[in-house]
């Protein structure tokens, strides 16, 4: 079953939560779990491919930072995606997942010599971040041709979305060559003129909080620069445009908006020549492919009142919902309440805060929400958590990482689970905290 409709997704999620409780994947002994809707992920990939259909060659890559779990990456590899990586860890995860070198794009503003040498030797596409890195690659190539595509990241400086931290095309962004700085465009053109092996431009405006017209404006700047470079050099040196990802996700309701089709329509209006086939296109979507398909389920341990406000204490807090806890206005999550059997709760509502287990007052995943009455033993579900929440764990209070399961549902509502990542044991937390070197500091006395 591969429908990506919001109605199907909601029904599948309810079935998965109930089955997780029934199977003991979520309960008093396992009070926290991550669940990923495999059909929802595949439907998102299908929608992405369909939106970009046309004469242009397109390589869609998944931004590994959005969910660095090998089984998830392997699912996306099997669905035909490439992978964008930004660290040695992400690179090794992608290779372990089965991505071949020619389906990888290596981005990072801080690539080391060793990392560049590896990418150059294996034909991995690289987006260089600055002129110093370009000079470093000159030395590494030593006159030989690179085995894979090499591009330059540019910052179109088109401004910020509503979340500054997620906006990468501001006047002072740390990423890429700032095109509106004095002399920058001429320096970029000269760099391409002196390096025939430079054959791509890369621009990424940002992600959550960035409206589609702003993203399109950044892509247009990169496109126009590519046109100017090829014209001034008198040759089609730039053959590919990496237009990044960054499609915002709707965290307010079940609906998918904006869609990939909306994004492409905006690009066609702003940059009509982008899709005519002159340039191969590379994308780097992450959050938008997974977010709506993920759910974090947590048992409610206690309920209480403070200052007239009801509080439900759960096991899901800043350790799994880091951005939501520290930037609640920018990253609000929808919340569902289920009974101890995993069935949706109904009846009179109450205003309640949903708290996590971390030892600081701000560890809240939802504040002042009107929800069905929450009782100890109930299950609270945090929706739209398929990207970042499963793999970007915050080790506050040495809380262990929860298990993650993928699931599929058939036409009869039956659920099948597959383990994506085992729950971290408390022993594992201790070992990770330096157990094998327990006497190291004492020995210095």
């Amino acid at each position: 079953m591969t429908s990506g409709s919001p109605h199907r997704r909601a029904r599948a999620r309810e079935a998965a939560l109930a089955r997780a409780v029934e199977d003991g994947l979520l309960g008093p002994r396992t009070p926290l779990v991550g669940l990923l809707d495999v059909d929802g992920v595949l439907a998102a990939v299908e929608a992405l491919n369909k939106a970009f259909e046309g004469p242009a060659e397109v390589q869609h890559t998944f931004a590994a930072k959005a969910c660095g779990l090998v089984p998830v990456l392997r699912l996306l590899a099997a669905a035909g995606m490439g992978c964008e990586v930004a660290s040695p860890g992400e690179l090794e995860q992608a290779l372990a997942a089965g991505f071949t070198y020619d389906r990888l794009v290596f981005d990072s503003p801080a690539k080391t010599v060793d990392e560049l040498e590896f990418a150059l030797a294996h034909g991995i596409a690289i987006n260089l971040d600055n002129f110093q890195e370009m000079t470093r690659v000159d030395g590494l190539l030593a006159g030989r041709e690179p085995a894979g595509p090499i591009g330059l990241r540019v910052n179109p400086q088109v401004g910020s979305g509503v979340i500054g931290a997620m906006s990468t095309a501001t006047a002072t962004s740390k990423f890429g060559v700032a095109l509106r700085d004095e002399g920058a465009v001429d320096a970029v053109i000269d760099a391409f003129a002196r390096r025939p092996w430079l054959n791509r431009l890369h621009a990424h405006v940002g992600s959550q909080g960035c409206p589609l017209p702003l993203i399109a404006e950044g892509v247009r700047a990169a496109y126009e620069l590519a046109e100017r470079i090829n014209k001034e050099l008198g040759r089609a040196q730039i053959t590919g445009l990496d237009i990044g990802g960054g499609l915002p996700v709707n965290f307010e309701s079940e609906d998918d908006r904006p869609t990939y089709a909306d994004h492409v329509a905006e690009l066609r209006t702003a940059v009509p020549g982008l899709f005519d086939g002159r340039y191969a296109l590379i994308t780097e979507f992450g959050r938008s492919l997974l977010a709506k398909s993920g759910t974090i389920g947590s048992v409610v341990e206690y309920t209480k009142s403070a200052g007239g406000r009801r509080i439900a204490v759960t096991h899901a807090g800043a350790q799994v919902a880091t951005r939501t806890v520290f930037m609640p206005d920018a990253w609000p999550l929808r919340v569902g309440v289920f009974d101890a059997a995993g069935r949706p709760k109904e009846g009179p509502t109450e205003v309640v805060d949903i708290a996590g287990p971390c030892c600081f007052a701000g560890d809240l995943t939802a504040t002042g929400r009107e929800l069905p009455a929450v009782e100890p033993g109930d299950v609270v579900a945090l929706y739209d958590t398929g990207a970042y929440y499963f793999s970007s764990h915050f080790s506050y209070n040495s809380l262990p990482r929860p298990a993650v399961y993928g699931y599929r549902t058939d036409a009869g509502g039956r659920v099948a689970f597959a383990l994506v990542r085992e729950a971290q044991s408390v022993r594992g937390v201790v070992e990770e905290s330096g157990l094998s070197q327990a006497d190291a500091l004492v020995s210095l006395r």
Side-chain angles (χ1 to χ4, degrees):
M1 188 174 182
T2 56
S3 168
S5 72
H7 180 65
R8 184 217 64 86
R9 186 166 55 219
R11 285 191 294 107
R13 181 174 58 230
E14 289 185 4
L17 281 165
R19 183 62 186 270
V21 171
E22 180 182 343
D23 289 359
L25 306 182
L26 178 62
R29 293 177 179 269
T30 51
L32 182 63
V33 73
L35 301 173
L36 184 67
D37 181 353
V38 171
D39 289 322
V41 174
L42 295 176
V45 173
E46 183 180 350
L48 174 61
N49 287 327
K50 184 173 182 181
F52 277 83
E53 284 179 347
E57 175 191 344
V58 184
Q59 180 187 48
H60 295 299
T61 68
F62 174 72
K65 60 183 174 289
C67 193
L69 300 176
V70 170
V72 175
L73 297 178
R74 181 162 292 189
L75 174 70
L76 293 166
M81 297 284 294
C83 193
E84 181 264 337
V85 300
S87 73
E90 289 180 358
L91 173 60
E92 290 302 318
Q93 287 169 340
L95 293 173
F99 290 101
T100 52
Y101 295 123
D102 62 335
R103 293 167 66 190
L104 297 178
V105 175
F106 188 26
D107 289 323
S108 168
K111 304 180 200 71
T112 67
V113 169
D114 287 347
E115 291 163 16
L116 287 168
E117 283 183 329
F118 184 90
L120 290 169
H122 292 87
I124 297 170
I126 308 171
N127 285 321
L128 304 179
D129 181 79
N130 54 70
F131 293 117
Q132 291 177 359
E133 187 174 27
M134 203 181 302
T135 301
R136 179 176 284 182
V137 171
D138 283 335
L140 293 174
L141 287 174
R144 63 187 169 89
E145 289 294 313
I150 301 182
L152 174 65
R153 180 167 185 170
V154 295
N155 172 11
Q157 294 175 295
V158 294
S160 173
V162 297
I163 307 176
M166 295 294 105
S167 301
T168 56
T170 59
T172 58
S173 170
K174 72 177 184 179
F175 293 104
V177 176
L179 291 183
R180 296 184 183 180
D181 284 12
E182 185 176 356
V185 169
D186 289 340
V188 169
I189 295 173
D190 179 65
F192 275 83
R194 291 188 291 111
R195 297 173 176 86
W197 46 262
L198 269 179
N199 54 17
R200 284 183 178 178
L201 275 179
H202 171 43
H204 178 63
V205 169
S207 52
Q208 196 65 25
C210 290
L212 298 187
L214 183 70
I215 295 172
E217 187 180 351
V219 174
R220 182 175 67 235
Y223 171 85
E224 290 175 349
L225 179 58
E227 291 282 276
R228 178 175 171 181
I229 290 172
N230 284 348
K231 181 178 180 180
E232 292 199 15
L233 299 186
R235 58 180 184 264
Q237 179 165 327
I238 297 178
T239 58
L241 293 176
D242 187 330
I243 62 174
L247 186 72
V249 170
N250 167 32
F251 288 103
E252 298 176 356
S253 73
E254 197 71 54
D255 295 333
D256 294 296
R257 55 177 170 80
T259 64
Y260 293 115
D262 295 332
H263 177 55
V264 169
E266 189 72 40
L267 289 174
R268 289 188 184 278
T269 299
V271 202
L274 184 66
F275 297 93
D276 65 10
R278 278 179 294 160
Y279 298 101
L281 302 180
I282 302 90
T283 73
E284 300 175 358
F285 294 102
R287 178 184 297 106
S288 57
L289 285 164
L290 294 187
K292 304 296 285 185
S293 295
T295 304
I296 291 175
S298 175
V299 170
V300 176
E301 202 66 47
Y302 301 107
T303 57
K304 57 193 292 186
S305 294
R309 177 70 59 81
R310 294 285 291 166
I311 302 170
V313 181
T314 76
H315 294 268
Q319 87 278 25
V320 290
T322 314
R323 285 177 172 173
T324 295
V325 168
F326 288 111
M327 299 178 67
D329 293 334
W331 302 97
L333 291 175
R334 295 182 298 127
V335 177
V337 181
F338 298 75
D339 65 20
R343 297 168 301 209
K345 292 198 77 170
E346 299 177 351
T349 61
E350 61 183 12
V351 177
V352 62
D353 292 350
I354 306 298
C358 298
C359 289
F360 63 94
D363 187 32
L364 303 168
T365 54
T367 305
R369 299 290 180 87
E370 190 169 317
L371 298 168
V374 187
E375 302 295 338
D378 285 348
V379 169
V380 163
L382 305 179
Y383 300 151
D384 307 331
T385 49
Y388 295 96
Y389 292 84
F390 293 163
S391 61
S392 301
H393 194 268
F394 177 36
S395 298
Y396 199 90
N397 286 143
S398 295
L399 290 162
R401 293 181 288 272
V404 177
Y405 293 86
Y407 66 88
R408 299 193 78 175
T409 56
D410 63 19
R414 291 178 291 272
V415 181
F417 287 111
L419 180 64
V420 173
R421 182 189 64 202
E422 292 183 348
Q424 186 181 27
S425 67
V426 174
R427 176 71 180 186
V429 173
V430 176
E431 290 175 346
E432 198 172 75
S433 67
L435 176 63
S436 61
Q437 289 81 38
D439 291 328
L441 301 182
V442 174
S443 68
L444 291 177
R445 290 189 304 172

